[in-house]
Structures are given as structure tokens and as C-alpha cells.
Amino acid sequence: TRPPSTPEGIALAYGSLLLMALLPIFFGALRSVRCARGKNASDMPETITSRDAARFPIIASCTLLGLYLFFKIFSQEYINLLLSMYFFVLGILALSHTISPFMNKFFPASFPNRQFQLLFTQGSGENKEEIVNYEFDTKDLVCLGLSSIVGVWYLLRKHWIANNLFGLAFSLNGVELLHLNNVSTGCILLGGLFIYDVFWVFGTNVMVTVAKSFEAPIKLVFPQDLLEKGLEADNFAMLGLGDIVIPGIFIALLLRFDISLKKNTHTYFYTSFAAYIFGLGLTIFIMHIFKHAQPALLYLVPACIGFPVLVALAKGEVTEMFSYEESNPKDPAAVTESKEATEASASKGLEKKEK
């Protein structure tokens, strides 16, 4: 049996989890704005539509149940070995993409930086279709090398710090690159996952079993016995990445909505960010009181949707909020529509000048 954690250790663990959850949401939301404006094919966001949002809880449920059955039928050791190799590669790429903007500031002006492009196509002639089109440079390769060191550390030791570095990178990339196309889609996604989270945590032991058996950086962890055992502590409090990324992409959408209003204020972003702090803080409080795992989205979803909507009602901007729409930059039809709208606007301007 484990010795009980001290109140100081518990407070440090939960406070650290809260801080680690806020960092990828805040910086991921800021980077999502630049990502939406960018023209680099390798940084194009993936837009989630209402159809995707409606199907997501079903797909997530099937995946979760499948993992649960795998852990029950097959050896946990071999499953985690395969997952470790998979997340080793993904983690290196995600961490490299995360640190690249920060590392670029430390390279001297005389650094020999060369441009590269990784291009895979299918077919030939007019039927040629791009499968992969990734642009990178020498600085990105240096970041990839540094990330590989963390990857080897994680693969060999499964240390909780290496796990958290990969987890933070996955979360930040998710918030940055996954874009909701409108607020209604966000409500559908968060509402569906609200039911998903409550059912699988309170209705069954599936979620908790998979979370504890799954040795992969799909959760942030922090030891509650850090003060007693130092870096080798092993009594962890944990927070799933889904509880960061799912509310995070909604908060990032509200930041882009704030910018679209052109009022030089980030009211909805800060409101939803504060709502997330409130919701996660309430989750931790309830979990500590009842000594039972809690579905974080049970508290996060009402807070993250309710607070901004109340602000919109107070400011009379509900219509603007729910009519805000983002197009998919990867969709040729959307690009064509955008060009046509721009040309129509330009022609109207010329007509006015002529009059």
C-alpha cells in the first residue's frame, strides 16, 4: 500500500496539472490565429465540420472500447510496446513543431539555413494528386534532433517529465491545427463529448482502466509524492489530453472570433479561458472531496460554452457569434468561394468609384 500523500504534495500536483493544461491552450490559441492566416501547406489547419463533430463521440467510444478489449484479451506489455513505438515517432514530430518557433530566435544570423520540401504525389499528368507536401529547413532538422533526445529518454525510461513534454506538444499542436468552422459545431462537439465522458467514467470502469493501463503520452501526470521521493516519485495525479484539446479548440475559435470583430478586445477569449480555469478547478475540488475519478468535461463544457454565451447576451452579439464562419483552407471549393467573394467585393468598390 502507498503511504498517503501530504496535503502539500496533493496541492502541488493539482496546481501543476492546472498550469500545464493552461499553457497549450493559451499559446495554441495564439498560434492558431497565425496558422489560419498562413500559406505554408505544412501548417494548414484541419477544419472540423458539424458532421465531423457529430460523429466524433461515436468514433471515440468505439476506439476506447476497442482498447479496453485489447488490454483484456492480449498482453498489456506487448500492446504498450507497439504504442510506445508509435507515439515515439509522433511525439518527436509534435515536439519539434512545437519548439521550432522558439528555437528560431536562438539561431545566429550567420546560421547556414537551407530550405527543403518533402513531396509525395499520386498519379501523373492532370490526375496527379498531392499526398504529402511538407516544407522545412535546417533549423527544423536541428529541432527534430533535440526532440529525438526526449523521444529516446521517453522510450527507455518512460519518465513522467518526458511523458509531459510529449503530452504538452500534442495538446498545443491540437489546439493550433484543429479548427472548428463555427460556434454551433463547437457546441455539437463539446455536447457530444460531454455525454461520452460522463457515460464512460460514471457508467463503466472502461475509461479509468484504459487510462491507467495505457502507457503512452495521452495524459499529463504529476506525482503527489514529489516532495517525499523527488523525481523518482510514482503516485500520480493525471489529466487526459482530451480535457485540454477539446475545450482548447473551442477557446481558440473564440479568439479568432474576437479578432474578426475588429474591436481590439479579446473579451470572449479571456472569458472562455477564465471559464476553463473555473471548470477544471471545480473538477479537481470535486475529485478531491469524493475521492473518485471525475469526467472533467462534465464541468468544463457548461463553463466554456455558458460563460461566453452569457457575455454575448449581455453585449447583444449572440447573432454575430453564431453566424461567424471559418472556411476550410484545404477545400478547393471554399478557396474558390473566397476568391469569388473577394472579386465581387472589389467589383462593387469599382462601381461605387465610377458612380
Side-chain angles (χ1 to χ4, degrees), residues 14 22 32 38 49 59 63 66 68 81 91 105 137 153 159 168 183 204 217 260 270 286-287 308 318 333 344 348:
Y14 287 141
L22 296 177
S32 76
T49 64
I59 296 171
T63 303
Y68 177 78
L81 180 62
K105 300 176 181 178
D137 54 28
W153 181 27
H159 199 276
L168 288 169
V183 174
T204 70
S260 73
Y270 289 127
I286 298 294
M287 185 167 56
V318 175
K348 286 180 181 179

Side-chain angles (χ1 to χ4, degrees), residues 285-307:
F285 175 75
I286 298 294
M287 185 167 56
H288 181 67
I289 293 298
F290 291 98
K291 309 296 181 185
H292 187 276
Q294 296 292 314
L297 294 181
L298 173 64
Y299 310 97
L300 290 172
V301 169
C304 290
I305 293 177
F307 282 33

Side-chain angles (χ1 to χ4, degrees), residues 162-230:
N163 173 91
N164 287 347
L165 289 174
F166 276 171
L168 288 169
F170 286 137
S171 301
L172 191 144
N173 278 276
V175 176
E176 177 188 359
L177 298 174
L178 292 175
H179 288 198
L180 296 164
N181 65 345
N182 55 49
V183 174
S184 297
T185 298
C187 293
I188 294 170
L189 180 65
L190 267 66
L193 289 175
F194 171 90
I195 298 170
Y196 157 89
D197 213 21
V198 172
F199 173 76
W200 288 112
V201 173
F202 285 150
T204 70
N205 68 336
V206 172
M207 180 83 79
V208 177
T209 301
V210 171
K212 290 182 177 179
S213 305
F214 203 90
E215 291 182 5
I218 60 165
K219 55 187 179 288
L220 298 180
V221 298
F222 199 92
Q224 301 180 54
D225 52 350
L226 179 68
L227 299 177
E228 291 79 28
K229 296 185 178 180

Side-chain angles (χ1 to χ4, degrees), residues 70-89:
F70 264 99
F71 280 118
K72 288 293 183 181
I73 297 171
F74 301 103
S75 171
Q76 182 176 324
E77 181 182 352
Y78 294 116
I79 296 173
N80 280 320
L81 180 62
L82 291 173
L83 292 172
S84 295
M85 295 302 299
Y86 177 69
F87 281 98
F88 166 73
V89 176

